[in-house]
Structure formats: structure tokens, C-alpha cells
Amino acid sequence: MTVEQTTLQHTSQLPLVPSLPSNHILGHLQEMRRDPMAIFVRAHREVGDIVRLRMGPQQIVSLARPEDWH
């Protein structure tokens, strides 16, 4: 599986992107530091081919199938 990450500047660009739920104040940042690949595998398994993750104050969108997003 290939995973492409894109950081977007404004959260207003992300309203239709489903997110992986997190109750932690830093979002998914601690899990990312422990095992970066595992968070993406889990996110795509639980949410789908496109998923938003919160890393502290930043949000990222991960695409499991970037060829679908021309």
C-alpha cells in the first residue's frame, strides 16, 4: 500500500474529509511518534481511502489511493 500525505493550510479546505476520531488534546500526534505507519494503516482501515488526522494544531489528509485524485 502506498500512502501520500498532503498538508493543507486552512481547515476550511477539509470539511468533507472524514477524520479518525481522537479524544487526546494533541490528536494523533503521540500515536504518530510511536509508530508512524501504524496510524495510517489504522486510519485507512477504519475510515477509508481518504482520511484526516489531527497532529497537534495541524491537520493532514492522507490518501491511500492517490491515483484516484487527479
Side-chain angles (χ1 to χ4, degrees):
M1 170 181 24
T2 62
V3 177
E4 181 176 307
Q5 299 173 18
T6 304
T7 302
L8 300 176
Q9 296 294 329
H10 304 286
T11 57
S12 62
Q13 295 172 321
L14 303 175
L16 300 176
V17 177
S19 65
L20 182 65
S22 173
N23 293 329
H24 195 277
I25 192 166
L26 295 175
H28 305 97
L29 190 58
Q30 288 183 332
E31 189 174 351
M32 174 69 120
R33 287 182 177 162
R34 277 193 306 266
D35 191 350
M37 200 58 202
I39 183 69
F40 292 107
V41 170
R42 182 171 77 86
H44 289 291
R45 185 176 349 128
E46 292 180 18
V47 179
D49 287 342
I50 181 169
V51 65
R52 180 169 34 112
L53 300 164
R54 194 165 50 88
M55 304 291 173
Q58 302 292 321
Q59 295 189 44
I60 64 168
V61 173
S62 177
L63 304 174
R65 297 173 44 124
E67 65 273 10
D68 292 343
W69 297 86
H70 300 274

